[in-house]
Amino acid sequence: MENDGTIIEEWRVTGMDCGSCAAKIRAALERLPGVSEVDVALMAERLRLRRDGSRISRDEVEKAVRGLGFGLSPKGAFEPETSPRGFVLPVDAYPGNAHIPPQKAPGQRQDPAWYRTRKGRMLIGTGLLLAAAWLVELTVGGLAAQWAFTLATLIGLAPITKRAVILARAGMPFTIEMLMSIAALGALAIDAAGEAALVVFLFAMGEMLESLAADKARNGIRALSGLVPRSARLVTGNRIREVPAATLSVGQVVQVRPGDRVPADGTVVAGTSGVDESPVTGESVPRLKEPGAEVFAGSVNGEAELRLRVTRAAEDNTIARIIRLVEEAETARPPTERFITRFSRWYMPAVVGVAVLVAILPPLIAGADWEIWIYRALALLLIGCPCALVISVPASIASALSAGARQGLLIKGGAVIEAAARTSIVAFDKTGTLTEGRPRVTDILPVSGTAEDLLRMAAAVETGASHPLGQAILARAEEAGLNWPESTHAGAIPGKGAFAMMEGTRWTVGAPRLAAESGVLTGESAARTEKFEAEGKTVVAVFSPDRLLGLLALRDEPREDAAQAVAALDDLGVAAIMLTGDNALTGAAIAGQIGIDHRAELLPEDKVAVLRGLTDRHRVMMIGDGINDAPALATAHVGIAMGSGTDVALETADGALLRNRLMDVVAQLRLARATMTNIRQNLAIALGLKAVFLVTTVLGVTGLWIAILADTGATVLVTLNALRLLGYGPVRIPRAPERRLSVQPGE
């Protein structure tokens, strides 16, 4: 409920199979008093609107939609109201329906075969009527055949005309149903009953093909909804019992056996195993999961049992968020689609006007045959149907959104795709975006002793450390398989380092200046420290009161595909720049390693200022991950968040890279460009076919049945062309070899 007394409500609509269906619902509801912000999502079968309860009731809204011939159910209804018009998505394809017990969800039932739907029965019925009429013509002929074709036409046309009248009463007189009715009845009036019956059959075939194409286009969403298993193995004390996955709550522990799908987003609490995340992220190589690692719902456990602690409820897990994002993204219509919608509003009346002129001008001006020119005008009406034109953009966008979601490329709508396709420069945040977001030991410089001694003593001091540098040192020692002595009397030197007692000696791991103040950092060691710092690395010294054991250099290293991504962007003709709040030395070192231009020492407001300057001259995409990146993401023409980023960044951004791979930035740009190319192809198909057949119809080369084939054919061709985007695959890069630390010789 809103403060102004209006209510935002949502339903699930069944029976929509083309862009004009959504347009009809939208147009009918926008004419109702007290209704605003009407949003109809074709692929997600969702209707959302704002209703003024004092001016119109919920029942009146539902009556208007059902009156158009569509099924309507409240959001999250257990049993959706089916429409005999077409395909129905399973209930559990929606995050909002996650509370429905999976074993009872109607989505488990098989979709009805095409011949069991209303459209299928209409196609079969009109086909049988046409065949019977042809049989009468072959065996009896004459007036009996004429009446047989007329009867076949009228019976097949009855439901079409009824729907045309309903739509006309709702304020939409210029629809394909109305044009079809006029054309078929007009053909009967000029004694073209045989062709009229054929046109009705071909129209039924076109409707059926559109329904099947819509079914195919929705398969992406349906496939996503099937990734999460319906049941989970809940661990309760020493017992394990099977429960519906949708009932899991945060904090519960579940068992995932080898080969099982993960039932919920969670953190590993026991076990080590490789997990195949390709169903969720598109990443083909299984990832090793150990205690503390995050695991996505829908991924597949590999070779060993895992115990997971649930971190997100079913309606908020990764798959649910992807589906919700795709669902929401469909409503963000790109400028091209909005233009075509406006264009179609005057296009159809214009076609009707031209058809009237074609019917009357030649007979009146040149004394031509009325019957011939009325026939051509009727054919022109059918050619003028804008169905293929209207669906050309949303079909491509829906396919692109689905293809991207399956590959870990989340895009919030067609407007984002269109803007991304025009990107000329990509701005990257550094920490957590171009880099891994955590420091790693890059250099080991022993001074008195061996590299192993240096690491062992540093790890002993940092045992239990929470500081990122201390954790990095411990991680490196563990990787090397080292054992370190037990420490006592450990403590911290705020902002400078840590210390501990080992074997009666106090050892310190801290800033080089601490070692210098103690008098143990001199000569070559001091010079090496300056060299490391010039490379943008953080240096820590490991020393006792009387000797320097050695130096460790650490740095937040670039992601393995960072340089490759920048080079690939350059191949696309897209420039790249790094924006960082780090000091100039660190920024320059990382930028040089990647091969990218950079700006350093930027506060969040400075990043926004830089982006504003860039957006004046370029189409800018910003890639970031943190809360401090949210303003920059909102400032760029397109903001993309890393999948590991904060919720604020993900909400602010126009999309996300679920795999945390920078090469996916390239994949996203390529997908956007491929989508816009696909849209242009669809527009060319839709308008080109209409232009060709318009000319041939006026010249008398083609007739009614060719006209309806042209309209249906254009719609099917446009849809099939859009479906090609479902086969889009991301850029694949080989895994980089394991990086080896640089171990410097002692002095």
Side-chain angles (χ1 to χ4, degrees):
M1 180 74 72
E2 302 294 323
N3 293 332
D4 60 1
T6 62
I7 307 167
I8 295 178
E9 293 187 306
E10 187 172 320
W11 293 265
R12 181 179 175 196
V13 184
T14 56
M16 296 187 296
D17 49 37
C18 70
S20 63
C21 293
K24 288 168 185 172
I25 296 173
R26 189 182 302 113
L29 293 177
E30 286 175 344
R31 288 178 168 83
L32 296 178
V35 173
S36 60
E37 299 179 21
V38 180
D39 170 26
V40 184
L42 171 64
M43 291 297 115
E45 296 186 314
R46 189 194 67 245
L47 165 63
R48 182 184 296 150
L49 53 78
R50 185 183 294 274
R51 177 176 64 86
D52 185 344
S54 64
R55 301 177 64 192
I56 188 169
S57 69
R58 182 183 177 94
D59 288 343
E60 289 175 296
V61 173
E62 294 179 349
K63 182 179 178 181
V65 176
R66 291 191 179 103
L68 298 177
F70 299 97
L72 195 69
S73 305
K75 178 184 178 183
F78 172 70
E79 191 70 59
E81 178 181 309
T82 59
S83 165
R85 291 175 43 78
F87 170 75
V88 181
L89 273 177
V91 166
D92 53 356
Y94 292 91
N97 296 337
H99 64 280
I100 300 174
Q103 68 272 21
K104 295 183 180 179
Q108 287 185 341
R109 66 174 183 266
Q110 293 294 319
D111 296 328
W114 68 270
Y115 51 83
R116 293 183 181 274
T117 65
R118 182 179 177 183
K119 288 187 176 182
R121 291 194 298 268
M122 181 178 176
L123 175 61
I124 294 171
T126 54
L128 292 174
L129 287 169
L130 180 61
W134 273 336
L135 183 61
V136 172
E137 183 179 43
L138 291 173
T139 57
V140 181
L143 188 60
Q146 185 74 7
W147 277 109
F149 281 119
T150 300
L151 187 62
T153 301
L154 292 176
I155 294 174
L157 192 63
I160 301 172
T161 304
K162 178 183 177 182
R163 185 167 168 77
V165 172
I166 292 172
L167 292 170
R169 286 178 177 173
M172 292 171 284
F174 299 107
T175 60
I176 181 57
E177 289 84 0
M178 182 62 75
L179 298 184
M180 179 66 203
S181 299
I182 293 172
L185 293 174
L188 292 179
I190 60 175
D191 294 329
E195 199 159 1
L198 178 59
V199 164
V200 172
F201 169 72
L202 292 174
F203 178 80
M205 180 183 291
E207 290 276 285
M208 191 68 245
L209 288 174
E210 287 179 3
S211 182
L212 293 175
D215 183 353
K216 177 69 174 176
R218 287 186 175 105
N219 278 345
I221 299 176
R222 182 163 54 177
L224 286 174
S225 70
L227 289 178
V228 180
R230 298 182 181 279
S231 61
R233 296 176 61 81
L234 178 65
V235 179
T236 308
N238 295 325
R239 298 180 57 195
I240 297 176
R241 58 192 177 92
E242 197 160 298
V243 299
T247 64
L248 293 175
S249 58
V250 176
Q252 291 183 321
V253 176
V254 295
Q255 177 198 48
V256 185
R257 296 169 300 184
D260 285 355
R261 283 191 182 273
V262 177
D265 284 3
T267 302
V268 178
V269 295
T272 299
S273 179
V275 173
D276 178 9
E277 296 181 339
S278 61
V280 183
T281 67
E283 175 59 64
S284 60
V285 179
R287 290 185 176 273
L288 182 66
K289 299 296 181 179
E290 300 175 302
E294 293 185 358
V295 183
F296 297 130
S299 52
V300 181
N301 187 20
E303 61 273 5
E305 176 191 319
L306 291 175
R307 298 285 177 98
L308 309 179
R309 189 176 304 282
V310 177
T311 56
R312 288 193 182 95
E315 61 270 19
D316 293 320
N317 68 38
T318 302
I319 299 298
R321 293 168 74 186
I322 293 173
I323 295 173
R324 188 159 51 238
L325 180 58
V326 174
E327 179 187 342
E328 295 294 334
E330 191 191 340
T331 65
R333 297 189 293 166
T336 302
E337 182 180 350
R338 291 197 295 269
F339 169 76
I340 289 174
T341 301
R342 292 193 301 269
F343 172 74
S344 64
R345 287 175 182 170
W346 62 261
Y347 167 79
M348 286 206 47
V351 167
V352 173
V354 171
V356 171
L357 294 177
V358 167
I360 65 175
L361 287 184
L364 291 177
I365 295 174
D369 187 283
W370 280 96
E371 187 173 308
I372 291 175
W373 286 96
I374 289 175
Y375 177 87
R376 293 179 182 179
L378 294 175
L380 189 61
L381 283 178
L382 296 179
I383 290 171
C385 174
C387 287
L389 191 63
V390 170
I391 202 174
S392 58
V393 177
S396 297
I397 295 298
S399 294
L401 293 175
S402 180
R406 290 203 313 272
Q407 304 296 343
L409 310 176
L410 305 187
I411 311 167
K412 295 182 180 178
V416 176
I417 290 177
E418 192 161 332
R422 298 198 300 269
T423 296
S424 58
I425 185 169
V426 176
F428 293 93
D429 172 54
K430 181 184 78 70
T431 304
T433 302
L434 280 174
T435 66
E436 296 174 348
R438 60 182 185 275
R440 294 192 300 122
V441 176
T442 58
D443 300 88
I444 301 174
L445 179 63
V447 175
S448 57
T450 66
E452 287 75 12
D453 292 337
L454 176 58
L455 266 178
R456 285 175 61 254
M457 204 59 68
V461 173
E462 296 289 358
T463 297
S466 59
H467 191 278
L469 295 180
Q471 291 179 338
I473 292 171
L474 286 168
R476 179 64 188 93
E478 289 175 355
E479 286 177 17
L482 300 179
N483 294 315
W484 49 87
E486 184 177 350
S487 61
T488 60
H489 301 91
I493 307 171
K496 296 182 180 180
F499 63 88
M501 298 292 293
M502 268 88 68
E503 299 171 354
T505 303
R506 171 172 163 150
W507 288 93
T508 302
V509 177
R513 65 176 178 273
L514 280 177
E517 291 170 1
S518 298
V520 296
L521 182 66
T522 59
E524 182 65 21
S525 297
R528 284 296 184 92
T529 298
E530 293 177 2
K531 180 182 177 183
F532 286 143
E533 290 177 342
E535 294 172 353
K537 299 174 182 178
T538 299
V539 182
V540 295
V542 181
F543 62 96
S544 65
D546 59 353
R547 72 182 177 115
L548 176 66
L549 189 57
L551 303 173
L552 298 174
L554 302 93
R555 187 168 66 184
D556 181 12
E557 289 291 272
R559 294 181 184 271
E560 62 178 357
D561 60 340
Q564 207 165 1
V566 171
L569 286 173
D570 186 62
D571 291 340
L572 289 178
V574 177
I577 184 172
M578 181 182 78
L579 307 179
T580 178
D582 277 351
N583 62 70
L585 282 177
T586 301
I590 295 294
Q593 192 173 350
I594 296 172
I596 188 174
D597 190 12
H598 73 286
R599 303 285 187 277
E601 300 182 358
L602 300 177
L603 297 174
E605 55 267 31
D606 298 328
K607 291 182 181 180
V608 170
V610 171
L611 285 171
R612 283 177 178 162
L614 291 173
T615 54
D616 290 339
R617 307 182 304 276
H618 305 279
R619 303 294 298 182
V620 181
M621 175 184 283
M622 173 70 191
I623 315 294
D625 76 314
I627 291 176
N628 63 329
D629 295 324
L633 292 171
T635 301
H637 294 110
V638 180
I640 302 296
M642 301 297 285
S644 60
T646 63
D647 287 341
V648 173
L650 291 170
E651 289 296 324
T652 306
D654 299 307
L657 307 178
L658 189 61
R659 301 190 308 173
N660 290 315
R661 297 285 294 275
L662 291 174
M663 279 300 288
D664 283 350
V665 177
V666 182
Q668 203 155 51
L669 292 180
R670 286 178 171 165
L671 176 59
R673 292 183 179 185
T675 304
M676 295 311 298
T677 298
N678 192 276
I679 287 172
R680 287 189 287 270
Q681 291 169 348
N682 281 349
L683 294 176
I685 291 170
L687 294 175
L689 282 176
K690 291 186 183 302
V692 169
F693 284 100
L694 185 148
V695 173
T696 58
T697 299
V698 172
L699 294 177
V701 177
T702 53
L704 281 174
W705 70 275
I706 292 292
I708 194 66
L709 271 184
D711 172 62
T712 299
T715 302
V716 172
L717 284 175
V718 161
T719 304
L720 292 177
N721 187 51
L723 293 179
R724 291 192 305 112
L725 289 171
L726 291 174
Y728 175 84
V731 179
R732 299 289 185 186
I733 63 170
R735 279 195 170 274
E738 292 292 327
R739 287 192 177 93
R740 297 187 179 277
L741 298 179
S742 171
V743 180
Q744 307 292 337
E747 292 183 9

